[in-house]
Amino acid sequence: MTRQMSTAMRDCIDLCNECHIRCEEMMTRCMEVGGAKLGMMMVTCADMSRMSADMMMRCSAMVADLEMMRMCAKMCGLASQMMRMCAQECARTGDAELADAADMMARCAELCGTITAEMMMENA
């Protein structure tokens, strides 16, 4: 059985996918400007944003129990924290490209931070 996805979830999935792509594109720039630490943060941010999008899509595509929805919401919250940390570090570099990526990560972090299990269940 397929459930109807909320607008917030759809927007969050889209932004997480955009974040994943942007982080992948910026990895080399991070290494050049911010060094290995920022590069690893960007890799982690890319992975977590992709994982969040994947989990939300899976949860919306099937009838999952509340516990699974809670895990998905927790993943979104963890990804939000990582995106915020990475955005702050990118902004500190003073690099225009990384500042632009930081803005996008901050927007994604804000939206991911609002996803709740109940929000995912509301259309079940």
Side-chain angles (χ1 to χ4, degrees):
M1 177 177 175
T2 302
R3 73 178 65 219
Q4 184 69 27
M5 193 182 306
S6 70
T7 302
M9 275 186 69
R10 217 178 355 256
D11 291 346
C12 192
I13 289 167
D14 290 345
L15 202 49
C16 281
N17 283 325
E18 182 183 332
C19 185
H20 168 73
I21 291 166
R22 187 63 187 262
C23 288
E24 289 278 331
E25 292 171 348
M26 300 274 53
M27 284 182 201
T28 301
R29 186 76 180 152
C30 283
M31 294 295 286
E32 293 170 353
V33 175
K37 177 185 174 191
L38 183 56
M40 288 307 298
M41 288 179 80
M42 192 62 81
V43 168
T44 303
C45 190
D47 289 345
M48 291 182 80
S49 58
R50 180 194 41 79
M51 187 181 296
S52 290
D54 289 350
M55 287 181 77
M56 283 185 281
M57 285 187 286
R58 285 185 200 114
C59 285
S60 69
M62 63 183 179
V63 177
D65 63 17
L66 184 57
E67 192 59 34
M68 185 169 177
M69 297 295 183
R70 285 183 179 139
M71 279 194 315
C72 184
K74 187 172 186 174
M75 181 64 217
C76 288
L78 293 170
S80 176
Q81 289 177 312
M82 186 66 225
M83 289 173 208
R84 281 190 180 94
M85 287 175 21
C86 194
Q88 289 170 353
E89 291 299 316
C90 285
R92 283 189 188 125
T93 66
D95 181 78
E97 286 183 78
L98 292 179
D100 186 53
D103 289 343
M104 186 272 314
M105 284 185 274
R107 285 192 321 272
C108 192
E110 184 66 32
L111 187 53
C112 276
T114 67
I115 299 298
T116 65
E118 291 73 23
M119 180 186 295
M120 289 182 244
M121 293 293 286
E122 68 187 23
N123 295 317

